[in-house]
Amino acid sequence: MTEQSLKATVQRDLTDAMRERDQVRSGTLRMVLTAITTEEVAGTESRELTDDEVLKVLAKEAKKRKEASAAYTGAGRPELAATEDAELAILEAYLPAQLSDDELAAIVAAAIEQTGATGVQQMGQVMKAASPVVAGRADGGRVAAVVKAALAAR
């Protein structure tokens, strides 16, 4: 059995959702495939995205849904927030499992040790070291908050 690319998996799932007449799922997957295609043709020449690049597109789309849901909730529009939450749940099925707070703290501690950072001034160095290890398993804002707290405690 050959391993299928993430983009091909999304395309297959879209076909299944269309057969099942699942409008929310098919609409969400169409938007994701459009975002992937847009990313593929961006720049000077078109290219095929790797699975890591497709994961970044999926994470960006999921972040959009989270922000939209929060905005709708704040504006008193729970029905629109529910739609965004439903789309987010579909997208999260394709994303890697999120890191727990303890796992994230351990990664940040290792990055601080590796860089020898002593204060908040070296936050950029620590973020640069921690980001490849985290790679889509935690939101950048969450990582930054943990890094800042760890450096401030030094």
Side-chain angles (χ1 to χ4, degrees), residues 77-133:
R77 300 292 306 268
E79 70 283 357
L80 295 175
T83 303
E84 295 294 333
D85 290 338
E87 291 179 0
L88 177 61
I90 292 166
L91 293 175
E92 285 178 339
Y94 296 97
L95 296 172
Q98 296 294 296
L99 292 171
S100 70
D101 290 340
D102 293 338
E103 292 170 324
L104 186 57
I107 290 171
V108 168
I112 290 172
E113 192 68 35
Q114 176 188 348
T115 60
T118 57
V120 181
Q121 304 88 316
Q122 288 98 5
M123 185 171 167
Q125 295 170 346
V126 177
M127 287 293 293
K128 188 174 183 181
S131 293
V133 179

Side-chain angles (χ1 to χ4, degrees), residues 31-51:
M31 282 190 275
V32 166
L33 285 171
T34 300
I36 292 169
T37 303
T38 302
E39 189 66 30
E40 286 178 336
V41 298
T44 56
E45 61 183 61
S46 65
R47 67 200 194 319
E48 189 76 25
L49 294 182
T50 64
D51 278 354

Side-chain angles (χ1 to χ4, degrees), residues 130-152:
S131 293
V133 179
V134 171
R137 297 182 295 160
D139 182 50
R142 188 171 154 226
V143 176
V146 172
V147 169
K148 193 171 192 176
L151 289 175

